[in-house]
Amino acid sequence: QGEQERDLLVSVGVDQNHSIVVWDIAARAPLVRAAGDKNRILSAVWNPFQQASESEVGMFVTVGENHVMFWHLSFPELPSGEAGQPLLVGERGVLGDKGVTQTALSACFIDQVVSSDDADQPGGVTESAEGFAVTGMHNGDVYVWVGAQLLSVITGVHDGPVLCISRLHRAAVDVEEDPDGLTAPPPPAERQVLVVTGGGDGLVRMWDEKHFGNGSPVVHQVNIDVLMGQTMVARTEKHRGVSSVQSVACRDVSGGRGVEVLVGTRRNELLTITLQDMASPAAADKAVPRVVALGHSGEGKLGGLAMHPAE
């Protein structure tokens, strides 16, 4: 099995240098280590679009406090033609004159971006087989990167920190066959790619990837507090307020017509939101929430648990 075919895992430590370790899953052992940053690193995300070569295995991005770095894992070729020891090299993101140094809280990779970051002069769509990194920033913006260079800034994605961001490549909608063969089949639907973001404003927003730029409309938006208010019979004053969206994960449902979103909040709530018909402009208004778990409270840590002695 070639080096480029390894199954890999990346982890970030809480030591002084926030060390980066890439693990060989099959061997259950560290493959290579590197110093990360003195600043705290909050997340690491592999680039799914990066094509492995004979020497370079993959690339990932790390984000954190005043930190965006792009890491390349390779096996330099020895004079004998064999692969040498693994090498992990990090490259700090270059802001240029487009961005400001701040905490980056989340990241994912997309394969197409709007060419212009000027809302008054929208551009076309630029695609890349190697993908573009997008990072959710503390001020509510999203930064778009090509390589380690900041390409554009999408402003006002959330009214507060962009705490999570993910990508969903939706499957084509299932088409019911005509048993009599009298109706010509419809042309295949274009597969929509969604960028899903969650923010400190308590909102989950869905964007069409090919229109994800300044001035682009939100495809659907869900207010978590509104949904939780509908779902819970009563909420104490301590639980009222904005439930910051800490994490999101998505999947297709209803034969590709709908989307289910798993949401985790800062108040330790876990819920699923189902949008049955993404083609409907009112899909978010008809969203069906289901509470998976409720946290102890919105304040502090859980100190202990005890079962009833008899029941």
Side-chain angles (χ1 to χ4, degrees):
Q1 187 176 34
E3 299 290 356
Q4 70 272 21
E5 297 176 355
R6 291 175 184 262
D7 290 326
L8 304 173
L9 173 73
V10 61
S11 63
V12 180
V14 293
D15 56 286
Q16 184 178 8
N17 292 318
H18 297 97
S19 299
I20 308 292
V21 180
V22 177
W23 300 79
D24 185 326
I25 295 177
R28 299 187 178 184
L31 185 64
V32 63
R33 303 173 185 265
D37 198 338
K38 297 293 185 183
N39 294 327
R40 188 165 56 141
I41 298 176
L42 302 174
S43 182
V45 179
W46 287 99
N47 181 358
F49 301 105
Q50 183 76 20
Q51 298 296 317
S53 63
E54 290 298 326
S55 58
E56 186 165 341
V57 176
M59 186 268 277
F60 60 90
V61 62
T62 54
V63 296
E65 295 177 352
N66 300 332
H67 172 98
V68 177
M69 286 193 72
F70 299 88
W71 300 84
H72 297 267
L73 176 63
S74 62
F75 289 83
E77 186 175 331
L78 299 176
S80 62
E82 298 179 351
Q85 292 298 310
L87 179 65
L88 184 61
V89 177
E91 184 178 4
R92 191 171 296 275
V94 179
L95 295 171
D97 58 357
K98 295 185 177 181
V100 296
T101 300
Q102 59 178 302
T103 296
L105 297 153
S106 54
C108 76
F109 285 85
I110 60 180
D111 65 353
Q112 53 187 346
V113 298
V114 176
S115 302
S116 173
D117 60 359
D118 187 346
D120 297 325
Q121 296 180 349
V125 174
T126 300
E127 298 185 6
S128 171
E130 296 185 353
F132 302 90
V134 289
T135 56
M137 312 305 291
H138 187 269
N139 68 348
D141 296 345
V142 165
Y143 284 6
V144 182
W145 306 80
V146 55
Q149 184 74 41
L150 180 60
L151 175 67
S152 61
V153 176
I154 305 174
T155 59
V157 173
H158 282 274
D159 185 14
V162 182
L163 298 170
C164 49
I165 184 168
S166 65
R167 179 181 187 268
L168 173 64
H169 191 164
R170 301 186 61 216
V173 175
D174 291 341
V175 178
E176 296 182 1
E177 295 184 3
D178 180 4
D180 300 322
L182 301 177
T183 304
E190 181 180 356
R191 297 188 178 188
Q192 184 185 39
V193 180
L194 293 176
V195 177
V196 184
T197 60
D201 51 9
L203 301 177
V204 174
R205 286 178 164 168
M206 302 180 184
W207 315 78
D208 189 329
E209 183 187 68
K210 65 183 179 182
H211 301 302
F212 189 40
N214 281 314
S216 61
V218 178
V219 176
H220 292 296
Q221 173 176 292
V222 178
N223 187 310
I224 297 303
D225 275 323
V226 171
L227 282 184
M228 291 301 291
Q230 293 173 354
T231 305
M232 298 177 63
V233 175
R235 298 188 80 184
T236 64
E237 288 299 322
K238 181 178 286 188
H239 273 75
R240 295 187 185 276
V242 175
S243 297
S244 297
V245 179
Q246 295 290 118
S247 59
V248 291
C250 311
R251 66 173 182 175
D252 278 331
V253 294
S254 303
R257 291 178 173 82
V259 168
E260 183 181 57
V261 185
L262 178 65
V263 178
T265 75
R266 187 177 181 182
R267 297 182 186 278
N268 303 315
E269 300 156 337
L270 188 65
L271 65 151
T272 62
I273 305 167
T274 303
L275 284 69
Q276 299 286 3
D277 184 6
M278 290 291 290
S280 169
D285 297 332
K286 300 177 181 179
V288 179
R290 181 176 69 88
V291 175
V292 178
L294 290 176
H296 173 68
S297 73
E299 305 292 335
K301 298 179 180 179
L302 177 63
L305 292 171
M307 294 181 64
H308 190 280
E311 298 182 3

